């Protein structure tokens, strides 16, 4: 749906995004989504053939040289950061693929119907639940539950996005969360297997092994399918870092694709800049 005035491809309706993704599958290709923290990342990830982009606050920290987990901390307004990256860096340069906004749904200062309306007006075609409290467990997770900042807010945000005709692709870490997201109307569910390993600021040890990631992913898929059969399932994080890792998950589960943030944007920059600088340093002095 190119804009006749700008030539840009955004925004898309929810049904248009779904049709695009199903067309990818009909072409026997995996669905690849990517987080982008800068305009140049977005531009060249699109050129590489990604099916969609997600803009969330962790992208800014990641591309500033910090761990993506900074996006879960109180280091600024997560919703405002995502909107700023989208408005001033990514949406102006993306030519054709859909762009989704990361939404911190538990922020008590936001009227979510109003915020999602602004997201849609800005030209985003969908939403994602990041920062997400689905990653928080233990005592602190229970505190969030008891004080009105639980993952229930994320389910409610996804249900509202569905009403507003915004596509939704969501992170979950458990089968129970997958069931609730399916009930809320999520179009795509991402099995989140933990912080991505590798690189200069990734974790050194994965939350789970590759076989554990396969089991976690399939358990999430099986649970969501007890509610609906039309969900697109993707994988992310933990030991799933390289194209071959993502291929392994696709082969051994009912996943049809992968979401890369650190594994695409950060790893690509780290490796290419390091190697290119070394090449320049190896040239003759005169």
């Amino acid at each position: 749906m190119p804009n006749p005035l700008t030539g840009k491809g955004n925004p898309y309706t929810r049904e248009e995004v779904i049709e695009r993704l199903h067309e990818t599958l009909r072409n026997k290709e995996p669905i690849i989504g990517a987080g982008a923290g800068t305009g140049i990342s977005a531009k060249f990830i699109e050129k590489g053939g990604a099916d969609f982009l997600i803009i969330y606050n962790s992208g800014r920290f990641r591309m500033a040289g910090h761990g993506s987990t900074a996006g879960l901390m109180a280091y600024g307004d997560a919703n405002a950061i995502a909107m700023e990256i989208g408005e001033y860096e990514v949406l102006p340069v993306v030519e054709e693929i859909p762009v989704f906004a990361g939404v911190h749904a538990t922020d008590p200062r936001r009227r979510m119907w109003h915020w999602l309306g602004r997201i849609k007006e800005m030209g985003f075609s969908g939403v994602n639940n990041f920062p997400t409290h689905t990653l928080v467990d233990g005592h602190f997770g229970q505190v969030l539950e008891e004080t009105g900042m639980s993952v229930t807010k994320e389910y409610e945000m996804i249900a509202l996005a569905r009403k507003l005709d915004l596509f939704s692709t969501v992170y979950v870490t458990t089968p129970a969360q997958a069931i609730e997201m399916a009930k809320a109307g999520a179009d795509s569910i991402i099995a989140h297997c933990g912080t991505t390993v590798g690189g200069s600021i990734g974790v050194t040890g994965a939350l789970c092994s590759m076989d554990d990631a396969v089991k976690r992913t399939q358990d999430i898929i099986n649970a969501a399918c007890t509610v609906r059969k039309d969900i697109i399932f993707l994988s992310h994080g933990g030991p799933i870092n390289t194209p071959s890792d993502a291929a392994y998950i696709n082969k051994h589960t009912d996943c049809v694709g992968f979401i890369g943030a650190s594994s695409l944007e950060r790893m690509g920059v780290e490796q290419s800049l390091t190697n290119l600088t070394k090449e320049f340093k190896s040239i003759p002095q005169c």
Side-chain angles (χ1 to χ4, degrees):
M1 189 187 67
N3 185 312
L5 297 179
T6 66
K8 304 297 183 183
N10 299 90
Y12 293 94
T13 67
R14 174 179 166 270
E15 286 298 329
E16 286 169 338
V17 175
I18 291 171
E19 174 55 29
R20 288 174 61 92
L21 298 182
H22 280 290
E23 180 65 19
T24 294
L25 298 178
R26 287 193 293 269
N27 290 335
K28 306 299 182 182
E29 298 175 359
I31 292 170
I32 302 298
T38 67
I40 195 166
S41 298
K43 179 182 288 190
F44 289 98
I45 288 171
E46 180 181 32
K47 286 184 180 297
D51 294 287
F52 60 82
L53 292 163
I54 307 176
I55 311 305
Y56 31 53
N57 69 325
S58 65
R60 171 155 292 173
F61 295 109
R62 180 168 56 244
M63 299 312 287
H66 310 297
S68 297
T69 304
L72 295 171
M73 305 301 288
Y75 305 148
D77 184 334
N79 285 309
I81 290 171
M83 179 68 82
E84 183 179 86
I85 296 170
E87 180 176 6
Y88 297 115
E89 296 192 48
V90 173
L91 289 170
V93 301
V94 169
E95 293 292 335
E96 199 269 336
I97 61 175
V99 182
F100 308 146
V103 178
H104 195 190
T106 60
D107 186 342
R109 303 164 303 170
R110 302 285 180 187
R111 295 166 294 159
M112 199 48 57
W113 61 268
H114 178 256
W115 186 247
L116 293 186
R118 287 188 60 190
I119 284 170
K120 186 172 183 178
E121 182 182 51
M122 184 55 61
F124 289 100
S125 300
V127 296
N128 168 257
N129 61 323
F130 194 90
T132 175
H133 291 188
T134 63
L135 296 171
V136 183
D137 55 15
H139 175 70
F140 185 52
Q142 186 60 38
V143 169
L144 292 174
E145 293 289 321
E146 294 178 7
T147 54
M149 291 171 279
S150 72
V151 294
T152 300
K153 296 289 187 181
E154 298 181 31
Y155 308 147
E156 292 171 353
M157 183 272 288
I158 295 303
L160 183 55
R162 179 71 176 257
K163 290 181 180 179
L164 293 176
D165 197 36
L166 287 163
F167 182 88
S168 58
T169 184
V170 301
Y171 289 123
V172 303
T173 62
T174 69
Q177 292 168 0
I179 287 172
E180 294 305 316
M181 283 298 192
K183 290 178 179 177
D187 298 299
S188 170
I189 289 179
I190 309 161
H192 197 304
C193 295
T195 303
T196 303
V197 301
S200 65
I201 49 177
V203 296
T204 56
L207 176 67
C208 59
S209 69
M210 188 62 75
D211 287 340
D212 290 336
V214 166
K215 184 179 186 305
R216 173 186 287 206
T217 299
Q218 192 59 48
D219 286 348
I220 283 169
I221 292 170
N222 292 342
C225 285
T226 64
V227 180
R228 292 185 12 243
K229 305 293 186 183
D230 61 340
I231 300 169
I232 296 169
F233 294 102
L234 308 170
S235 65
H236 171 81
I240 316 166
N241 184 28
T242 66
S244 61
D245 295 334
Y248 186 88
I249 297 293
N250 280 9
K251 181 178 179 181
H252 292 88
T253 71
D254 293 325
C255 261
V256 295
F258 171 74
I259 300 289
S262 293
S263 52
L264 260 169
E265 183 178 46
R266 175 171 63 81
M267 298 299 188
V269 169
E270 288 185 7
Q271 295 165 7
S272 61
L273 287 182
T274 299
N275 293 337
L276 185 58
T277 304
K278 287 179 178 178
E279 287 186 36
F280 274 111
K281 283 295 291 181
S282 69
I283 66 174
Q285 185 184 47
C286 58

